[in-house]
Amino acid sequence: MDPVASPEDFALAADLVRDAGQLALRMRMEGLTASEKTSVSDVVTAADREAEALVVKRLRELRPEDGIVGEEGASRNGTSGRSWVIDPVDGTYNFFAGSTYWCSALALRADPGPHDVHGDPEVLLGAVYQPQEEQLWLGGRGYPATRNGEPVTWPEDEPLNRISAGTYIHPTWLLRPEVAGPWTAAASRAATIRMMGSGSCDLVRVAAGQFGAWFQHSCPEWDWLPGKAIVLAAGGSTAVAEVNGFRWHIAGTAAAVREIHGALTSA
């Protein structure tokens, strides 16, 4: 029997991202320091760790049979065939710098077994919460995409040269032609690009039609699955392109996804 997400799972996901985001925001207001992970723009704070610990504790109590995968190191194998994927603060650099463009994000996925055509685990639900903008996004299989409880309306299917594309590439990757070449080929075809620094915030804006598309290479599942679930629930398309040994994740209108995939793979 395939794993499913219940209405109670969606309600729990909404509570968890809201509580994690509000905890992180309170901690930032009280004062935080940050430490580098891989670079000056890839940082972690105590709020990341505390917010993840809050979510993990609640899941251990309320979903003891489910697995857990957390960006800040939380890990537990489950017996239910499902795992919760946690990004306690997505866009930590923005968060620490005082920007509002960050969120707490969560996905529920099927454990390795059911996969989609791109080799991703099947995502059952996604939840994204932006505390300072008071926006809560939900969506998943059998559950329409919503923002603050209101249905999200999917935009018309526009080609890439008519829309903005959200993306991200660290400056150091621009020195590597095997990545910079495909990225430039795709980015140059969009009407305009947006590089805001939070994959989940970007993806929910794709779901709402504020961005027409989004693409990024080498996304960990906590940066991809929450937003992917919401884009699909809104009626959008997603794809993964393998180029020069890198996996590029793509979301948007069907036409834009096809164009981005073609640009990446032909570069």
Side-chain angles (χ1 to χ4, degrees):
M1 185 175 181
D2 289 343
V4 296
S6 68
E8 292 76 19
D9 290 325
F10 282 93
L12 174 60
D15 288 343
L16 290 174
V17 291
R18 188 182 288 110
D19 290 349
Q22 290 174 349
L23 171 62
L25 181 59
R26 285 197 303 273
M27 292 183 68
R28 190 180 78 177
M29 293 172 65
E30 293 167 0
L32 285 171
T33 58
S35 57
E36 293 182 19
K37 294 168 78 174
T38 62
S39 70
V40 69
S41 61
D42 183 17
V43 297
V44 63
T45 70
D48 295 76
R49 299 187 180 98
E50 290 296 322
E52 181 166 295
L54 179 152
V55 174
V56 169
K57 181 176 184 295
R58 200 82 55 81
L59 287 173
R60 287 183 179 276
E61 294 170 351
L62 299 176
R63 297 293 185 273
E65 297 180 351
D66 290 346
I68 294 173
V69 180
E71 180 183 10
E72 305 310 329
S75 178
R76 183 182 70 178
N77 293 326
T79 59
S80 65
R82 318 184 316 171
S83 287
W84 296 83
V85 181
I86 308 165
D87 195 345
V89 178
D90 181 42
T92 302
Y93 188 82
N94 290 349
F95 167 75
F96 187 65
S99 168
T100 66
Y101 203 80
W102 62 277
C103 65
S104 291
L106 189 67
L108 179 62
R109 64 158 169 81
D111 286 337
H115 286 73
D116 67 15
V117 294
H118 309 300
D120 280 347
E122 183 181 2
V123 60
L124 308 176
L125 71 79
V128 174
Y129 176 62
Q130 287 187 261
Q132 291 178 271
E133 298 188 12
E134 193 52 49
Q135 294 193 77
L136 174 66
W137 307 76
L138 285 173
R141 194 171 70 180
Y143 189 102
T146 61
R147 176 176 57 188
N148 293 341
E150 296 296 322
V152 171
T153 302
W154 185 250
E156 293 183 10
D157 192 13
E158 297 255 42
L160 190 55
N161 64 1
R162 304 279 301 177
I163 60 177
S164 66
T167 185
Y168 180 77
I169 186 168
H170 192 274
T172 57
W173 286 100
L174 294 173
L175 303 175
R176 298 182 58 172
E178 70 272 27
V179 172
W183 183 84
T184 302
S188 63
R189 299 191 185 195
T192 184
I193 61 170
R194 300 286 182 264
M195 198 177 302
M196 305 293 287
S198 168
S200 289
C201 290
D202 290 348
L203 283 162
V204 296
R205 278 158 179 76
V206 171
Q210 296 169 17
F211 292 176
W214 178 90
F215 66 101
Q216 185 177 324
H217 76 85
S218 308
C219 289
E221 57 184 333
W222 45 77
D223 284 341
W224 171 235
L225 294 183
K228 175 186 176 179
I230 295 168
V231 168
L232 291 175
S237 297
T238 65
V240 175
E242 298 272 359
V243 184
N244 301 331
F246 293 89
R247 283 172 61 85
W248 291 83
H249 298 77
I250 313 164
T253 67
V257 168
R258 286 193 301 269
E259 284 192 64
I260 292 171
H261 191 282
L264 292 169
T265 55
S266 63

